[in-house]
């Protein structure tokens, strides 16, 4: 068994060795995107949301914008002038100075997700995947996440395991869990079509697809879905059950420098996920069933995964 990681914010004990990405899509830190505290100037509202916020300034002076450690943003002049506009915001306290007594400014907060692996990869939300105390709600329309290319997420000969706590609100059509690369060219993709789950690995002019029919036995129910690739073999699991019904012979993947896209097809034009997503873990080398069981048992009892 691998060394264990005590994830202090989540109070979970999970395998640490080989953890390449730990997308924490549920953590309460995501609920707040920033707060505004008045100083000599007066500005409202006090709570900020992801995206553009119109802030009204009613007195000349300074005020403070606080962002969680993982978030970034900007402040731009409107009918009120901000010194140094546009001002870049970072995690922590940011002091903003105005040179106009009244008017509006625009505060834009970027929605980002914690990667609790040692790689600390940036994961940025697109659209409006709503935070809830049971994970992010994906609207099956325009919500997804982007993780910029990293060699730690690019596999060729290696074994690996992907784990995803996930709910589906519909199994009609195609919905993508994640993709990195281009099918029949490079990389990998994981998606459902109807209620069949597919995992594909690609090389030039070729793709191998393993599948699991009847992957989601119930809608709006939490499952730990996982994919393990070891050599030419791929196993698809729901919770701890091997549900693979078609097992392809997966040859080595062609490398790529594409971003990892979570919750939509690679072109971002269709295949949006509908439902909720929670923790997202990627390991290399692959996990054993005993290690997957350890993660499942550590997380399944958490209140956020009680449907």
């Amino acid at each position: 068994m691998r060394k264990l990681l005590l994830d202090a914010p989540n109070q979970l004990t999970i395998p640490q060795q080989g953890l390449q990405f730990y997308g924490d899509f549920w953590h309460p830190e995501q609920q707040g995107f920033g707060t505004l505290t008045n100083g000599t100037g007066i500005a409202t509202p006090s709570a900020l949301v992801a995206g553009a916020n119109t802030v009204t300034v009613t007195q000349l002076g300074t005020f403070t914008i606080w962002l969680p450690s993982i978030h970034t943003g900007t402040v731009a002049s409107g009918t009120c002038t901000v010194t140094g506009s546009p001002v870049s915001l970072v995690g922590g306290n940011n002091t903003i100075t105005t040179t106009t007594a009244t008017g509006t400014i625009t505060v834009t907060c970027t929605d980002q997700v914690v990667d609790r692996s040692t790689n600390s990869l940036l994961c940025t939300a697109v659209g409006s995947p709503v935070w809830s105390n049971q994970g992010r709600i994906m609207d099956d329309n325009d919500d997804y996440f982007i993780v910029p290319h990293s060699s730690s997420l690019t596999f060729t000969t290696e074994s690996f395991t992907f784990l995803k706590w996930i709910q589906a609100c519909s199994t009609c059509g195609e919905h993508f869990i994640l993709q990195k690369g281009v099918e029949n060219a490079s990389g990998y993709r994981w998606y459902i079509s109807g209620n069949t789950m597919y995992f594909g690995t690609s090389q030039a002019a070729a793709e191998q697809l393993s599948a699991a029919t009847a992957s989601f036995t119930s809608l709006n129910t939490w499952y730990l879905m996982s994919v393990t690739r070891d050599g030419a073999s791929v196993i698809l699991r729901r919770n701890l059950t091997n549900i693979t019904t078609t097992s392809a012979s997966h040859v080595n993947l062609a490398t790529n420098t594409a971003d990892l896209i979570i919750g939509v097809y690679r072109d971002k034009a269709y295949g949006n996920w509908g439902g909720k997503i929670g923790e997202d873990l990627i390991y290399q080398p692959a996990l054993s069933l005993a290690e997957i069981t350890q993660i499942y048992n550590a997380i399944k009892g958490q209140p956020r995964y009680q449907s």
Side-chain angles (χ1 to χ4, degrees), residues 47-132:
L48 303 173
V49 298
N53 298 260
T54 299
V55 172
T56 300
V57 178
T58 59
Q59 185 171 313
L60 182 67
T62 63
F63 52 89
T64 299
I65 294 176
W66 174 87
L67 298 183
S69 59
I70 61 168
H71 293 314
T72 58
T74 58
V75 180
S77 299
T79 56
C80 179
T81 302
V82 175
T83 301
S85 176
V87 178
S88 296
L89 301 176
V90 297
N93 289 322
N94 301 261
T95 300
I96 305 301
T97 302
T98 62
T99 58
T100 310
T102 61
T104 60
I105 60 175
T106 300
V107 180
T108 302
C109 299
T110 301
D111 185 359
Q112 295 170 335
V113 171
V114 173
D115 169 21
R116 298 200 184 280
S117 78
T118 57
N119 292 317
S120 299
L121 301 174
L122 184 67
C123 184
T124 301
V126 179
S128 300
V130 178
W131 183 94
S132 79

Side-chain angles (χ1 to χ4, degrees), residues 89-304:
L89 301 176
V90 297
N93 289 322
N94 301 261
T95 300
I96 305 301
T97 302
T98 62
T99 58
T100 310
T102 61
T104 60
I105 60 175
T106 300
V107 180
T108 302
C109 299
T110 301
D111 185 359
Q112 295 170 335
V113 171
V114 173
D115 169 21
R116 298 200 184 280
S117 78
T118 57
N119 292 317
S120 299
L121 301 174
L122 184 67
C123 184
T124 301
V126 179
S128 300
V130 178
W131 183 94
S132 79
N133 59 7
Q134 283 198 318
R136 290 298 187 105
I137 302 171
M138 310 289 281
D139 68 359
D140 195 12
N141 180 32
D142 61 356
D143 295 343
Y144 59 93
F145 295 87
I146 299 176
V147 183
H149 163 70
S150 169
S151 59
S152 63
L153 303 178
T154 305
F155 308 115
T156 54
T157 62
E158 300 88 351
S159 67
F160 53 78
T161 295
F162 299 161
L163 303 104
K164 184 80 171 179
W165 282 94
I166 197 164
Q167 285 188 11
C169 67
S170 172
T171 53
C172 297
E174 288 191 345
H175 301 274
F176 277 72
I177 299 173
L178 56 79
Q179 182 165 8
K180 188 179 191 304
V182 178
E183 62 275 18
N184 296 299
S186 66
Y188 49 84
R189 59 176 179 158
W190 187 13
Y191 65 101
I192 63 171
S193 180
N195 198 22
T196 298
M197 180 176 291
Y198 294 93
F199 184 79
T201 56
S202 287
Q203 314 79 34
E207 181 183 35
Q208 301 81 50
L209 282 171
S210 289
T213 58
S215 55
F216 285 85
T217 53
S218 298
L219 297 179
N220 302 309
T221 298
W222 283 111
Y223 296 106
L224 177 62
M225 297 295 189
S226 67
V227 174
T228 294
R229 185 247 182 166
D230 192 357
S233 173
V234 162
I235 297 176
L236 297 163
R237 289 187 173 94
R238 178 182 59 245
N239 296 335
L240 303 178
T241 302
N242 183 344
I243 57 172
T244 312
T245 52
T246 301
S247 184
S249 180
H250 292 258
V251 299
N252 292 334
L253 294 69
T255 190
N256 68 82
T257 58
D259 296 338
L260 174 66
I261 308 298
I262 298 172
V264 72
Y265 180 61
R266 60 177 172 80
D267 68 359
K268 310 175 187 66
Y270 91 103
N272 292 86
W273 192 262
K276 295 178 182 177
I277 61 173
E279 272 105 332
D280 194 338
L281 300 99
I282 297 178
Y283 283 89
Q284 186 276 311
L287 297 175
S288 66
L289 177 56
E291 289 167 329
I292 294 173
T293 301
Q294 182 180 26
I295 293 172
Y296 176 72
N297 288 334
I299 298 177
K300 69 173 182 178
Q302 299 297 313
R304 59 189 176 279

